Amino acid sequence: MDSTPDTEGFLAGYDPRAYDPIAVTVDVVALTIRDAQLQVLLVRRGEPPFQGSWALPGGFVRPSQAPDGTKTEEDLAQTAARELAEEAGASLRPSHLEQLGSYGAPGRDPRMRVISVAYLAFAPGLPEAMPGSDAADARWTPVNALDPRTLAFDHAAILADGVDRARSKLEYTPLATAFVTEPFTITELREVYETVWGEKLHAGNFHRKVLSVPGFVESTGSHTETGGPRGGPRAKLYRRGDATLLHPALLRPATEAELRP
């Protein structure tokens, strides 16, 4: 922090009350795959505004107080993790948490001008949601079965952005391999893509694309013990490779169509 004499003199005469107050909140789009569906974590608000409505987990950024009474300012990512624990259970600890975007349209919160910084939490095997101290209820809800018009605040727009970000990450990162148990088959990996993208993929084309990306998957040299449900040859088994980015990317069919001349 700049503590030069000029800065100290400026701060001595600075009056923050000259500006309208603005609050900062954090909202979390927590996604996982459950029952072969892409699902989002929702909490039922226990107090106004929008009491009784379903919403994304979230809350105000606030200082934390140590046992000795000292206060420590909270980082945005710390707020996201805390709100997940307070509203949906302490066992909800996603392995992937990234900042999604900021939302500050006037009137998005009836209490005052509130700026929300949204985070995306995307991880496999997240546990059952348990309502905490700040929520009346919590549940995992299939994204495709959700009516976004029922969500509080502007959470429908935040959720849409979060789902689109998750779908995009499967295009250019190996994140999908975190949702299959090693060793896995290409068919099992394809099912992750189909679940998150919400569309069926051509099996042969997907298989070819996956194997054409350096470092995406590695062969274990082994096969499944039996063939598929209809018989046939045993499938090859793979593990995650060392790539952190996919090049070339595995584009969604809709994205490929947009790029065609």
Side-chain angles (χ1 to χ4, degrees):
M1 180 177 178
D2 188 353
S3 59
T4 62
D6 288 346
T7 300
E8 293 174 356
F10 166 75
L11 291 177
Y14 180 76
D15 183 6
R17 294 171 298 180
Y19 300 92
D20 291 337
I22 294 179
V24 178
T25 60
V26 166
D27 293 306
V28 183
V29 180
L31 299 173
T32 195
I33 294 177
R34 299 171 65 88
D35 302 323
Q37 299 179 88
L38 181 65
Q39 300 201 21
V40 62
L41 178 64
L42 297 178
V43 297
R44 190 188 294 276
R45 289 184 56 79
E47 56 187 34
F50 299 102
Q51 184 173 13
S53 295
W54 290 97
L56 299 171
F60 287 94
V61 178
R62 62 173 185 251
S64 59
Q65 186 166 335
D68 62 0
T70 59
K71 290 186 176 182
T72 303
E73 293 295 333
E74 195 173 51
D75 180 77
L76 294 173
Q78 291 174 327
T79 301
R82 173 178 58 77
E83 288 294 339
L84 275 177
E86 289 181 355
E87 295 192 341
S91 59
L92 277 167
R93 300 180 185 276
S95 58
H96 180 85
L97 185 68
E98 68 175 66
Q99 198 170 120
L100 175 64
S102 56
Y103 301 81
R108 62 176 302 274
D109 191 311
R111 291 167 291 191
M112 62 182 297
R113 185 71 188 272
V114 176
I115 308 297
S116 178
V117 180
Y119 277 78
L120 172 65
F122 193 28
L126 291 178
E128 286 291 342
M130 300 292 293
S133 58
D134 286 2
D137 197 4
R139 71 183 186 191
W140 290 102
T141 301
V143 171
N144 289 339
L146 174 65
D147 182 356
R149 295 172 297 181
T150 63
L151 295 181
F153 304 104
D154 55 355
H155 288 186
I158 299 175
L159 173 59
D161 290 346
V163 170
D164 188 65
R165 172 74 66 83
R167 288 172 172 166
S168 295
K169 289 194 77 68
L170 262 63
E171 291 185 302
Y172 60 87
T173 77
L175 182 61
T177 58
F179 289 81
V180 287
T181 302
E182 292 186 344
F184 53 84
T185 66
I186 298 298
T187 296
E188 291 171 332
L189 188 63
R190 188 183 78 245
E191 289 171 351
V192 173
Y193 277 85
E194 290 178 337
T195 300
V196 176
W197 285 352
E199 54 185 315
K200 287 292 183 180
L201 303 174
H202 186 279
N205 286 344
F206 180 83
H207 192 283
R208 174 180 54 79
K209 289 178 180 179
V210 168
L211 297 186
S212 70
V213 179
F216 187 10
V217 298
E218 297 177 350
S219 174
T220 64
S222 303
H223 296 74
T224 56
E225 295 183 359
T226 61
R230 299 182 181 179
R234 296 181 300 160
K236 292 182 178 180
L237 291 171
Y238 296 85
R239 67 174 68 92
R240 177 174 178 166
D242 59 3
T244 56
L245 294 175
L246 303 185
H247 183 74
L250 263 69
L251 300 180
R252 284 172 277 179
T255 305
E256 287 185 323
E258 292 175 359
L259 296 177
R260 291 193 192 107

